[in-house]
Amino acid sequence: MSPKPLNDQSVIKEILATKGKIVIVGLSPKPERDSNRVAQYMIGHGYEIVPVNPMSQEILGRKCYPSIADVPGEIAVVDVFRKSDDVPPIVEQAIAKGAKFLWLQLGVVHQEAAQTALNAGMGVVMNKCIKIEHSLKNGS
């Protein structure tokens, strides 16, 4: 089976239906930051959010991990709130950990890294906000 194309609507739908861990790389402890607001929204809608930020021990009452490799267990989605240039090593970690999906938030664009993830069999969404997509699909 060939990989689904970048930003395929069926991939977005599958991600939004996940019951697995959503790791947010670059989740900020600051409530005014987009990553924090998105995480709060997703937690409020029943998603299991796992913060990855080497500068924090805990964010939003959840244990924070320094890297994707440190997150225990299986990962469904790696959601990235980092500069585009930081994406390739994040993708390598996500692949090594066996994550099923990669989500690059609005403004995060790295074509080669996205292609690497697609080639590894991951579903990939790039330059879109998971919170916006969830609210569009759920009318909230």
Side-chain angles (χ1 to χ4, degrees):
M1 186 167 113
S2 63
K4 293 199 162 109
L6 184 69
N7 292 348
D8 187 271
Q9 285 301 310
S10 69
V11 170
I12 293 172
K13 188 175 180 179
E14 197 174 341
I15 290 170
L16 295 176
T18 190
K19 301 294 182 218
K21 283 183 194 146
I22 298 177
V23 170
I24 300 185
V25 178
L27 178 52
S28 173
K30 298 176 183 172
E32 68 275 11
R33 302 295 292 267
D34 288 339
S35 62
N36 192 286
R37 287 195 295 264
V38 167
Q40 286 183 58
Y41 173 90
M42 298 304 284
I43 290 166
H45 284 84
Y47 290 92
E48 182 183 355
I49 299 300
V50 178
V52 168
N53 181 332
M55 307 306 285
S56 296
Q57 298 294 310
E58 183 179 290
I59 300 175
L60 298 172
R62 284 152 172 76
K63 179 175 172 50
C64 190
Y65 295 91
S67 74
I68 294 167
D70 296 310
V71 175
E74 291 184 12
I75 296 172
V77 183
V78 172
D79 185 4
V80 181
F81 278 92
R82 296 286 310 187
K83 293 181 295 197
S84 297
D85 290 346
D86 294 340
V87 171
I90 293 168
V91 167
E92 293 302 328
Q93 287 182 40
I95 291 168
K97 192 68 178 174
K100 294 178 181 74
F101 301 101
L102 174 70
W103 191 298
L104 303 179
Q105 284 292 145
L106 276 173
V108 182
V109 176
H110 198 292
Q111 293 292 343
E112 290 122 17
Q115 191 60 54
T116 298
L118 287 168
N119 292 346
M122 296 176 77
V124 180
V125 177
M126 182 167 66
N127 197 26
K128 289 186 179 284
C129 176
I130 197 167
K131 177 184 174 207
I132 292 170
E133 293 300 317
H134 183 274
S135 63
L136 288 172
K137 302 249 182 296
N138 294 285
S140 55

